[in-house]
Amino acid sequence: MFRILLLNIFFSMPVWLLKLIYLKRRTPIRGRLVDFQSSVILDVMPKAELHKVSDSSIQGVRDSIAKQRLKYRLSLKPKNKVIKKDHFITDRENLLLREYIPKNIEKNKAVLFFHGGGYVLSSVKTHDEMVSFFSDNLGAKVFSLDYSLAPENKYPSALNEALSAYEWLISNGYRPEQISLCGDSAGAHLAAALTHYLVANNYPKPQSQLLIYPMCDPSCSSESYTLFEENYLLTKKAMIWFWDKLINSKDNIDDECLNLMKVNLEKKLPKTIIVTAGFDPLSDEAEKYAYLLHEKGNNVKQLHYPSMFHGFASMTRLNSAKIAVVDFLTEYKLSLIHI
């Protein structure tokens, strides 16, 4: 209870006052400084050494992280009421797709959302307030998929479930051109993977996709991995661990639905917005992926937030994170208007 009180005081404190109290020297990287308020949160957050977690201990880590996220709320609640409905969409009725219905629905469209967590952590519940905030700001229904996690369910389990969710939306009255895909981190990878699969297999493709700091390249070898190897929430060691838990065999590395750098660009992808953060080990690979799409004539826009870090989209109680999220949601909403 005391920690929650301190957290509330922290978020209500003007940044200028925080700078007087918390004496911290930030080191410029690539000529940029990480947002000050964010840097304080990053300093005090527990450092999870995920790469040391055994498979038998993963469920305990999931439960602990979920408990902390729900207890220490870092995401803003929506301004308006958002109604939620749970659907179980497989024959076994064990695959949850949560529908978010905002007060003001501006157009008959559906956003199919996939949460982050490296395919190993998190759930619909951990991202509940973030998705509610998205739905309210977009004025659109969002459907959040509680896909199966690795290593118990390795690639392509989550992709198959994402396809089931996409087909469920179509069977429930949405045309492909009314559907947009969205996700953060691993969820952004899953959104892109689903798009690659649909296009490669001549399925009707969605109208657009929003990829928020996507994981793209299992080699984890870009310069940003070295520059932001640690101290910015997501670490290089954690990313290597995530990929290891997801990958089922060496053959997966050449699969364009897993390794986005292998994408076959003979066919056009839907309109794409890619969000990157300046202090994110994934920033270089996401930018490279954006360039690959652009080079082949696809409609792609990269929105870069130089003072932000990986995970900021779920931390909108931070001033700069809120500004960035509202900005990219505004851009995304413009693309949805044309559905």
Side-chain angles (χ1 to χ4, degrees), residues 231-247:
N231 300 322
Y232 297 100
L233 193 60
L234 179 65
T235 67
K236 179 178 180 177
K237 289 179 179 178
M239 276 307 309
I240 293 172
W241 184 78
F242 286 140
W243 280 114
D244 178 67
K245 300 306 172 191
L246 175 65
I247 292 172

Side-chain angles (χ1 to χ4, degrees), residues 134 210 212 275 303 305 312-313 324-332:
F134 279 24
L210 170 63
I212 306 167
V275 172
L303 301 177
Y305 301 93
F312 76 85
V325 170
V326 170
D327 182 70
F328 73 65
L329 288 180
T330 300
E331 187 71 31
Y332 186 38

Side-chain angles (χ1 to χ4, degrees), residues 196-237:
H196 289 191
Y197 181 88
L198 294 171
V199 171
N201 290 278
N202 297 313
Y203 278 72
K205 63 187 178 183
Q207 184 265 354
S208 60
Q209 56 182 350
L210 170 63
L211 311 178
I212 306 167
Y213 36 73
M215 52 189 276
C216 302
D217 184 359
S219 73
C220 303
S221 58
S222 60
E223 184 184 52
S224 56
Y225 269 100
T226 301
L227 294 175
F228 312 111
E229 184 173 4
E230 54 187 19
N231 300 322
Y232 297 100
L233 193 60
L234 179 65
T235 67
K236 179 178 180 177
K237 289 179 179 178

Side-chain angles (χ1 to χ4, degrees), residues 38 47 237 284 324:
S38 300
K47 305 298 185 289
K237 289 179 179 178
D284 285 2

Side-chain angles (χ1 to χ4, degrees), residues 93-94 99 119 138 153 171 176 184 198 233 281 295 309:
E93 295 189 345
N94 63 345
E99 179 181 4
Y119 281 100
L138 292 171
N153 303 278
S171 69
D184 67 308
L198 294 171
L233 193 60
E295 191 178 33
F309 58 96

Side-chain angles (χ1 to χ4, degrees), residues 20-179:
L20 293 177
I21 297 172
Y22 193 83
L23 301 177
K24 174 183 174 64
R25 176 174 293 179
R26 292 167 292 164
T27 302
I29 301 179
R30 290 178 168 173
R32 299 285 186 175
L33 291 172
V34 67
D35 170 64
F36 186 85
Q37 189 188 32
S38 300
S39 72
V40 177
I41 279 287
L42 293 174
D43 282 349
V44 301
M45 289 182 72
K47 305 298 185 289
E49 294 188 310
L50 293 173
H51 62 284
K52 295 181 179 180
V53 176
S54 65
D55 286 4
S56 61
S57 301
I58 286 176
Q59 187 56 53
V61 173
R62 288 176 187 148
D63 294 342
S64 177
I65 290 175
K67 183 178 179 181
Q68 294 298 314
R69 287 192 67 161
L70 294 173
K71 184 178 180 181
Y72 303 112
R73 183 177 59 83
L74 298 177
S75 180
L76 287 172
K77 294 181 179 181
K79 290 182 179 179
N80 302 297
K81 184 177 181 180
V82 175
I83 298 171
K84 303 166 194 177
K85 292 182 180 179
D86 286 351
H87 307 277
F88 294 91
I89 65 172
T90 60
D91 292 338
R92 292 172 294 169
E93 295 189 345
N94 63 345
L95 182 59
L96 169 64
L97 185 65
R98 178 168 292 174
E99 179 181 4
Y100 294 78
I101 308 168
K103 181 179 179 181
N104 302 307
I105 299 178
E106 299 183 14
K107 205 169 181 67
N108 185 25
K109 51 188 174 266
V111 176
L112 179 54
F113 179 84
F114 308 111
H115 67 79
Y119 281 100
V120 179
L121 309 172
S122 298
S123 66
V124 164
K125 289 182 179 180
T126 61
H127 282 62
D128 187 69
E129 286 191 343
M130 170 181 163
V131 177
S132 295
F133 185 83
F134 279 24
S135 180
D136 182 42
N137 276 264
L138 292 171
K141 289 185 178 182
V142 179
F143 294 81
S144 182
L145 181 67
D146 207 28
Y147 58 86
S148 299
L149 300 176
E152 299 94 328
N153 303 278
K154 288 182 174 288
Y155 179 82
S157 293
L159 176 57
N160 291 335
E161 292 175 347
L163 178 60
S164 294
Y166 185 73
E167 292 175 333
W168 184 90
L169 287 175
I170 292 173
S171 69
N172 279 271
Y174 289 98
R175 301 188 306 276
E177 60 269 23
Q178 292 177 298
I179 301 172

Side-chain angles (χ1 to χ4, degrees), residues 308-326:
M308 288 288 94
F309 58 96
H310 191 91
F312 76 85
S314 62
M315 300 187 186
T316 44
R317 292 183 73 187
L318 294 167
N319 297 335
S320 293
K322 177 187 176 183
I323 292 170
V325 170
V326 170

